[in-house]
Amino acid sequence: MADADLDVVIRQLARQLQTGLMTRAKERRDRFSGLAAKAKSKETGDRFKVLAKATLEQASAAAKRLQMSADNVADSYARAMRIVASTPVAVKVEKKAKEKPVKKAKKAKAKKAK
C-alpha cells in the first residue's frame, strides 16, 4: 500500500465507510421494524415502520454523498498529480561571477611601475 496512488486509497476508504454506514443503517432499520412488529397499537407500529423506511433512505442519501465527495477528491488529486508530472522542471544555470582579483592585479602592476 506504500506505493499505491493516493486516489485509489481515497476511493477504497470511502467504499469502506459507505459499507459501514449502510450496515449500521440496516441494523437500525431492522430494530425499528422489530419495534413495529411488537407495537401494541397500529399508530405506533406505523410510526416505527416510517422511521425504518426514513432511516434507510437518509442513510442511502448520505452514502451517495460520501461516495461522490470521495470520487471528487480522488479525481482532483489524480488530476493535480498528472499536471505536476507533465510540467517541465526549470533548471537554473548558475552564472560564474567575474573574478575581481584580476582588477587588483592590474592596480598592483600600476603601483610597481611608479
Side-chain angles (χ1 to χ4, degrees):
M1 191 140 183
D3 58 349
D5 288 333
L6 285 180
D7 59 325
V8 174
V9 174
I10 292 168
R11 291 178 204 279
Q12 287 175 348
L13 289 174
R15 222 174 293 123
Q16 289 173 357
L17 288 173
Q18 181 182 12
T19 303
L21 175 66
M22 291 308 295
T23 302
R24 300 300 181 267
K26 288 176 183 176
E27 288 173 0
R28 178 146 308 175
R29 179 200 60 192
D30 294 343
R31 180 175 167 267
F32 285 136
S33 296
L35 289 172
K38 292 179 184 178
K40 297 192 180 203
S41 69
K42 182 170 176 20
E43 294 173 359
T44 307
D46 290 341
R47 188 177 325 125
F48 281 127
K49 285 180 184 177
V50 168
L51 279 172
K53 184 178 178 182
T55 299
L56 201 58
E57 287 176 357
Q58 293 295 324
S60 296
K64 285 179 185 176
R65 286 193 302 269
L66 175 69
Q67 188 64 43
M68 200 178 329
S69 295
D71 286 340
N72 287 341
V73 169
D75 290 341
S76 295
Y77 175 78
R79 188 179 325 111
M81 289 299 106
R82 277 195 308 270
I83 290 171
V84 168
S86 67
T87 304
V89 178
V91 178
K92 292 184 179 179
V93 178
E94 294 182 21
K95 294 180 181 179
K96 292 184 179 180
K98 293 182 180 178
E99 295 180 14
K100 292 184 179 181
V102 174
K103 291 182 180 179
K104 290 180 182 177
K106 287 182 181 178
K107 288 183 182 178
K109 287 181 183 178
K111 285 182 182 178
K112 286 183 183 178
K114 288 185 181 179

